[in-house]
Amino acid sequence: MKDYKTIKKNTPSNSNYRDEFKFLLNKSNTNYNIFPKMRLRRLRKSEAIRDLLQETHLSINDLVVPLFVQEGIDKEVEIESMPGIFRFPIDSILQEVKEIVTLGIKAIILFGIPLKKDNFGNSSFDQKGIVQQAIKIIKDTFGDKLAVISDVCLCQYTSHGHCGIIKDNRIDNDRTLSILAKTALSHAKSGADIVAPSAMMDGQVKILRDILDENNYQDTLILGYSAKQASSFFSPFRDAAHSLPSFGNRHSYQMPFTNLREAHREIISDMEEGADILMIKPAIPNLDLIYSAKQNSFHPIAAYSVSGEYSMIKAASLNNWIDEVSAITELLTSIKRAGADIIISYHAKKMAEILSNSK
Ligand SMILES: [Zn+2]
């Protein structure tokens, strides 16, 4: 180490500690970091050592369960394209949430499926609407034990199935904003801890923050669906939430999956507008975006592992083509490794069971 000062002087001035350390190692003639002195397999030689050195740990606290509550049904209905996932009537939603809380999960995200739909999605802000009722009874029962996130969008509530109001065959961004704001306020009034605008309208986070603050809901968090892509992996959800657009597609508001730079602009605009949590959706096709969002912001990052990601694993495991337990463990851990602090997944309940059993 006697010539450390000389070495330090010769290292690039912008080097960090790790670079200097690497430089020192390379200077030595010990070759400790080259085979055969270095053998990485030593790190994997027993289960105890592997456990000791495990870098990424998925926790039950990371998981959020998506739940569908539907008006006009009297028992739960399994979603054909998502085996094991159900739409619940209001009467049995509490039983399901109880199971989720018993598993140790700390959050759910709620989607409502109303009976009444119209061109403007007016039932989305009905204080007696299905999702508002569900939020209220869940919060009345579980209080602060469980964080309730509510999805704020219009596609389940409009007769045309689009996420915004239509004028001259186009989505009218600014008219949609006022309905989204009313919807978010109705959720906050029912007790939602977090409102999650998912329509991909410009300005949706700002208008929600404004209306919440004006009505004394300063403590209601906003989870922005910051970079939500027009993804083929959403198809089973549309079956689940009855939200297939009756014409056209969502390409004029949801992002193209090809554009990473644009995704960052969406993320930055949500930060500027006051989002508390930034979300990327879908998750698996976007591990690079999750990683770079985590590196470039100090906000918590959420990732939504969507219906199609669930259905692929489920279909393969039902056919015995893949082992469900190891596949979902690997999939969800990879999302965390990429940088997600919060993972919304239809596998969440199963994952929580796996994590409890492995303790
Ligand atoms: Zn929508």
Side-chain angles (χ1 to χ4, degrees):
M1 294 295 283
K2 63 176 185 257
D3 60 346
Y4 176 72
K5 275 189 184 149
T6 334
I7 293 165
K8 191 171 164 47
K9 221 163 82 185
N10 294 335
T11 54
S13 59
N14 62 350
S15 70
N16 59 25
Y17 176 75
R18 195 184 290 196
D19 287 339
E20 286 188 23
F21 190 68
K22 237 196 260 171
F23 187 80
L24 278 171
L25 271 177
N26 290 336
K27 271 276 166 192
S28 74
N29 288 320
T30 55
N31 289 332
Y32 281 127
N33 56 346
I34 299 170
F35 178 83
K37 288 271 187 194
M38 189 196 69
R39 291 174 181 269
L40 284 166
R41 284 189 53 209
R42 277 198 290 265
L43 304 177
R44 304 161 204 154
K45 73 180 217 178
S46 69
E47 196 177 347
I49 289 180
R50 289 194 295 274
D51 284 352
L52 188 70
L53 300 179
Q54 184 172 325
E55 295 177 31
T56 308
H57 294 267
L58 194 63
S59 149
I60 294 177
N61 289 348
D62 304 329
L63 303 171
V64 180
V65 181
L67 280 182
F68 302 101
V69 57
Q70 182 172 3
E71 197 173 13
I73 54 172
D74 50 17
K75 57 178 193 318
E76 48 264 44
V77 180
E78 191 168 20
I79 298 153
E80 205 179 329
S81 52
M82 302 177 74
I85 303 297
F86 297 83
R87 290 189 290 261
F88 293 92
I90 192 85
D91 294 338
S92 65
I93 194 83
L94 272 185
Q95 186 50 40
E96 177 65 11
V97 177
K98 198 172 166 199
E99 255 183 53
I100 291 165
V101 171
T102 308
L103 284 165
I105 293 172
K106 304 288 165 52
I108 56 167
I109 180 164
L110 274 175
F111 297 86
I113 306 156
L115 273 179
K116 256 193 283 169
K117 301 186 186 222
D118 62 27
N119 278 340
F120 302 97
N122 280 321
S123 60
S124 68
F125 55 87
D126 179 355
Q127 204 59 57
K128 293 201 179 96
I130 187 71
V131 84
Q132 288 82 353
Q133 284 183 51
I135 296 168
K136 185 154 179 6
I137 58 165
I138 292 167
K139 285 307 290 182
D140 285 351
T141 310
F142 297 98
D144 283 345
K145 248 194 199 169
L146 182 79
V148 172
I149 309 172
S150 67
D151 181 81
V152 177
C153 198
L154 302 187
C155 46
Q156 291 101 277
Y157 301 89
T158 50
S159 34
H160 43 71
H162 275 287
C163 304
I165 290 169
I166 293 174
K167 199 181 163 204
D168 302 332
N169 279 327
R170 287 177 180 276
I171 307 295
D172 186 331
N173 189 88
D174 296 9
R175 280 181 74 192
T176 302
L177 289 181
S178 59
I179 311 264
L180 292 175
K182 284 192 213 172
T183 305
L185 180 61
S186 73
H187 294 178
K189 281 182 180 166
S190 305
D193 297 286
I194 306 177
V195 290
S198 66
M200 286 302 281
M201 293 298 124
D202 288 329
Q204 60 182 13
V205 170
K206 183 186 184 310
I207 198 147
L208 261 57
R209 186 71 274 155
D210 288 347
I211 198 167
L212 291 170
D213 288 356
E214 282 160 18
N215 288 276
N216 288 324
Y217 291 99
Q218 287 90 348
D219 291 340
T220 306
L221 286 83
I222 298 178
L223 184 163
Y225 279 69
S226 308
K228 179 180 178 183
Q229 297 170 343
S231 168
S232 57
F233 292 101
F234 296 162
S235 335
F237 176 92
R238 286 167 196 162
D239 180 14
H242 297 164
S243 59
L244 185 72
S246 58
F247 69 91
N249 54 47
R250 295 189 163 98
H251 292 231
S252 77
Y253 42 105
Q254 295 179 349
M255 278 207 48
F257 59 81
T258 47
N259 295 4
L260 190 62
R261 289 156 61 85
E262 188 181 334
H264 277 286
R265 294 185 72 192
E266 286 282 4
I267 289 167
I268 291 165
S269 82
D270 273 13
M271 283 163 57
E272 296 279 314
E273 289 178 24
D276 299 285
I277 305 167
L278 308 166
M279 185 148 81
I280 287 146
K281 179 183 180 182
I284 297 300
N286 281 309
L287 296 180
D288 58 338
L289 180 54
I290 295 169
Y291 176 79
S292 55
K294 184 63 174 276
Q295 299 302 310
N296 289 303
S297 86
F298 293 108
H299 282 57
I301 303 294
Y304 197 142
S305 181
V306 300
S307 53
E309 296 173 48
Y310 172 87
S311 297
M312 284 193 300
I313 299 281
K314 201 70 191 173
S317 70
L318 286 171
N319 278 293
N320 289 322
W321 295 336
I322 200 166
D323 176 62
E324 186 181 18
V325 169
S326 40
I328 69 176
T329 305
E330 183 176 336
L331 191 103
L332 298 182
T333 307
S334 307
I335 299 170
K336 175 143 189 195
R337 196 191 65 222
D341 303 287
I342 296 167
I343 301 167
I344 303 177
S345 167
Y346 300 94
H347 295 296
K349 279 176 71 183
K350 180 82 182 168
M351 192 66 237
E353 278 171 31
I354 299 167
L355 289 166
S356 300
N357 294 339
S358 68
K359 267 183 196 162

